[in-house]
Amino acid sequence: MNLVCKFMLPFLFVAITVTAQSEVIKLSFEEKRIPLRITLPKGYVTDKDYPVLIGPGLDNGDLSIGCRYFGQKPDQHGWILVESSIHMENRQAVASLLDYLESNYNTDKVFILGFSANSVDAFSIASIYTDRIDGIIGMPGNPDSRTIKSHKDQQIVMIVGERDAYWKKKAQRAKVLLDNEGYQNELVVIPNGGHILDELAGKPLFTILNRALVTEN
């Protein structure tokens, strides 16, 4: 029944490639076809719920451009991982992606990741889907002070390099605002890190996330 209902909406998902652990589908939205790659954790079973992380990637439909922070073995982290250019699309497309994930996978809490300029979009999307997105990972953190109250019930992790002086100051100011509101948040400063934190790709990032997000729930 859910599948039939989806085709009545202005969204259409078409599977184009599937492997044991990943699936590439295309979301048709407003005459566009937006590719998405969904990677399941190794040992995925249907009687367990998994945290979901939506990250940027597949820019201009290029499947070789994935989310750099998912690492070389994205199925090893215990998360359902989604790579797409959804951050740059009409915000209504996000709802259809969330519908698809909820209907086809065993999902627990849903988080969205943004790095560099994409961190602005991650916070923007999360401020709209407050009832469907449980938290934001900003690398660096860049919540909009005008909409910060919308993140009341969301978990926030901001990660910034120690040498990334401008963005570190912005993340520190954001933390003060979040702390003053009593919102759950954490600022992680990577020693000697710069703006693009490639040293966090893969296990180092998910070590942070599993400690700060998953294990608290």
Side-chain angles (χ1 to χ4, degrees), residues 38-174:
I38 301 170
T39 300
L40 301 180
K42 185 176 181 180
Y44 177 88
V45 293
T46 57
D47 60 352
K48 176 183 176 181
D49 293 335
Y50 297 86
V52 177
L53 184 56
I54 300 171
L58 313 190
D59 293 350
N60 298 315
D62 189 344
L63 298 182
S64 68
I65 304 176
C67 183
R68 65 200 306 150
Y69 297 108
F70 288 177
Q72 296 298 313
K73 298 180 179 180
D75 65 342
Q76 301 295 308
H77 309 309
W79 291 61
I80 296 173
L81 303 179
V82 183
E83 298 165 285
S84 76
S85 60
I86 205 78
H87 296 62
M88 299 182 287
E89 302 295 339
N90 185 303
R91 299 304 190 219
Q92 294 181 30
V94 177
S96 190
L97 169 59
L98 295 172
D99 288 343
Y100 182 84
L101 292 171
E102 292 170 5
S103 297
N104 292 277
Y105 301 100
N106 292 61
T107 62
D108 189 11
K109 291 192 173 183
V110 177
F111 301 91
I112 188 165
L113 164 72
F115 64 89
S116 194
N118 281 319
S119 62
V120 178
D121 294 301
F123 278 96
S124 172
I125 291 169
S127 72
I128 297 170
Y129 294 96
T130 55
D131 59 336
R132 305 189 70 181
I133 293 179
D134 300 285
I136 312 105
I137 299 94
M139 301 175 65
N142 195 27
D144 188 333
S145 60
R146 297 169 297 180
T147 60
I148 206 160
K149 290 184 181 296
S150 64
H151 303 305
K152 176 181 178 181
D153 298 318
Q154 294 172 325
Q155 297 175 277
I156 297 173
V157 175
M158 299 177 289
I159 306 174
V160 64
E162 182 182 32
R163 295 185 290 104
D164 195 9
Y166 173 78
W167 290 104
K168 183 173 70 171
K169 288 180 181 179
K170 291 199 69 170
Q172 289 169 333
R173 287 196 294 267

Side-chain angles (χ1 to χ4, degrees), residues 152-208:
K152 176 181 178 181
D153 298 318
Q154 294 172 325
Q155 297 175 277
I156 297 173
V157 175
M158 299 177 289
I159 306 174
V160 64
E162 182 182 32
R163 295 185 290 104
D164 195 9
Y166 173 78
W167 290 104
K168 183 173 70 171
K169 288 180 181 179
K170 291 199 69 170
Q172 289 169 333
R173 287 196 294 267
K175 180 164 178 55
V176 171
L177 292 175
L178 292 164
D179 286 345
N180 287 343
E181 295 290 344
Y183 299 165
Q184 183 174 336
N185 75 97
E186 181 173 347
L187 172 60
V188 179
V189 179
I190 304 302
N192 202 39
H195 183 65
I196 302 298
L197 297 167
D198 282 329
E199 62 266 41
L200 291 187
K203 185 176 180 180
L205 173 62
F206 286 92
T207 296
I208 294 172

